[in-house]
Amino acid sequence: MDKVEILQVGPYPDWDEVPLNEAFEMHRYFDADDKPGLLAAHGKNIKGIATRGELGADRAMIEACPNLEIISVYGVGYDAVDLDAASENNVRVTNTPDVLTKDVADLGVAMMMVQSRGMIGAEKWVRSGNWQSQGLYPLMNRVHGKRAGILGLGRIGYEVGKRLSGFDMDIAYSDIEAKDYGSDWTYIANAVELAAHSDFLFVTLAASAATKHIVGKQVLEALGPEGMVINISRAANIDEDALLDALEAKTIGSAALDVFEGEPALNPRFLSLDNVLLQPHHASGTFETRKAMGKLVRDNLIAHFNGDELLTPVN
Ligand code: 8YV
């Protein structure tokens, strides 16, 4: 029997590529010099799209595959998939929730620690010989006991909060409504008020049109010159120009970012700032989690084409 044809939007590690290629006929969109040509030649045979969180699938891609049945996303965020186009064309969408939650929370908390304690500069201080020639490293800011705000208390936000409790932090959060986690975390509905109540503001919202630039000038002003914003969600949740202005003018203290507009080609203004920690969108980037994500991408595709229930459907 002919293999089902799948459009592969981005690369995967070998441990995913091998079983994908065994089970399906994969068309490597990202490798094609002539991408419209690839879609024109194979679009009508393609029944599935395997993509990555940050790459998604836009309307043009979806509509170039008139027999498309499923889009399997390697990532919890599916904001880069045109869900309207998918649903209009009866295309199922799946993502990889849960398996990455704790790694993303780990990295967010690590970013707070690294930036607050100046660990990147401290490492350079040792390697450059400054420790010997100039003496002690400048003092940095304490983390434990401070106020943390979690903007978006979903699965990842909740895991961030659990970790921060271990640092004896005063934890507040925003979400559509108060959540009953039996914790003593404070619910503050408004993002500006949450920021005003925070030394560290974690952005852990699933991105959508409604959350675009939710962290803008007002939130940043409320966070203030001692505050830090940590983004482990999507760049679009922050107004990047407003953030860059605030970092340059030092009207906020610092930022720790794993995601950027137009990544990996980030705005060069970031590169000349020393009050921002820059990470290459790798919050889910551990062997364990990426293997689980890849398996879920495949298992959803296989379930669909076997006529079984999807494991982690979005629509
Ligand atoms: C990535 C992510 O998809 O889960 C998400 O939404 O953004 C990440 O886990 C990762 O970059 C792999 O493509």
Side-chain angles (χ1 to χ4, degrees):
M1 211 175 85
D2 286 346
K3 287 180 177 173
V4 172
E5 296 186 35
I6 304 281
L7 185 70
Q8 182 182 343
V9 184
Y12 296 119
D14 284 350
W15 56 72
D16 292 322
E17 296 272 352
V18 171
L20 276 173
N21 282 295
E22 272 166 17
F24 302 105
E25 183 178 339
M26 304 298 291
H27 295 279
R28 295 164 72 84
Y29 183 75
F30 57 101
D31 267 349
D33 292 329
D34 178 10
K35 293 182 169 51
L38 182 144
L39 288 176
H42 298 284
K44 65 176 184 325
N45 298 326
I46 284 171
K47 293 207 165 144
I49 292 179
T51 187
R52 304 168 57 113
E54 70 279 22
L55 301 175
D58 62 14
R59 180 176 283 276
M61 180 181 280
I62 292 169
E63 290 181 349
C65 306
N67 295 307
L68 185 65
E69 296 177 16
I70 181 168
I71 300 172
S72 185
V73 181
Y74 180 80
V76 66
Y78 48 85
D79 50 299
V81 173
D82 190 323
L83 262 197
D84 290 337
S87 296
E88 280 165 33
N89 290 284
N90 294 319
V91 174
R92 304 297 307 275
V93 178
T94 62
N95 66 344
T96 61
D98 299 318
V99 293
L100 48 63
T101 303
K102 292 184 179 186
D103 273 339
V104 176
D106 284 354
L107 193 87
V109 173
M111 284 159 65
M112 169 187 73
M113 293 299 296
V114 165
Q115 183 66 349
S116 205
R117 298 298 301 267
M119 289 173 70
I120 303 287
E123 156 90 6
K124 288 190 191 136
W125 194 256
V126 176
R127 285 186 190 272
S128 65
N130 281 355
W131 189 13
Q132 238 177 340
S133 62
Q134 298 188 39
L136 298 177
Y137 186 60
L139 300 182
M140 293 292 144
N141 294 303
R142 168 184 287 184
V143 167
H144 72 264
K146 295 258 176 90
R147 299 169 310 162
I150 303 173
L151 186 55
L153 198 71
R155 287 174 279 232
I156 292 171
Y158 175 65
E159 288 295 330
V160 166
K162 264 172 61 185
R163 283 155 180 69
L164 299 182
S165 319
F167 290 100
D168 299 325
M169 294 178 95
D170 167 355
I171 297 167
Y173 68 95
S174 262
D175 210 300
I176 297 166
E177 56 188 9
K179 305 245 167 135
D180 180 17
Y181 283 130
S183 66
D184 54 358
W185 304 350
T186 310
Y187 176 60
I188 301 178
N190 181 279
V192 177
E193 284 168 28
L194 181 75
H197 187 84
S198 303
D199 300 306
F200 299 96
L201 181 67
F202 286 83
V203 187
T204 49
L205 286 163
S208 68
T211 67
K212 187 171 160 74
H213 292 186
I214 186 167
V215 177
K217 198 166 183 289
Q218 272 188 307
V219 167
L220 295 168
E221 271 169 17
L223 188 58
E226 305 297 324
M228 181 191 299
V229 62
I230 298 118
N231 193 3
I232 45 173
S233 59
R234 282 289 186 267
N237 285 333
I238 298 188
D239 177 344
E240 220 173 60
D241 287 330
L243 175 62
L244 281 159
D245 291 346
L247 287 166
E248 284 168 358
K250 300 201 183 329
T251 52
I252 68 160
S254 60
L257 308 171
D258 188 44
V259 284
F260 302 87
E261 291 287 1
E263 62 186 47
L266 66 168
N267 190 321
R269 285 168 74 194
F270 279 118
L271 302 178
S272 50
L273 288 167
D274 59 10
N275 52 354
V276 58
L277 175 71
L278 307 170
Q279 295 289 293
H281 196 156
H282 71 137
S284 67
T286 65
F287 290 109
E288 296 89 340
T289 281
R290 287 287 168 87
K291 285 186 177 175
M293 288 165 64
K295 182 168 178 336
L296 205 39
V297 165
R298 283 195 303 287
D299 287 350
N300 273 305
L301 290 172
I302 290 166
H304 174 80
F305 292 110
N306 282 346
D308 296 335
E309 291 254 309
L310 296 177
L311 286 85
T312 47
V314 166
N315 64 352

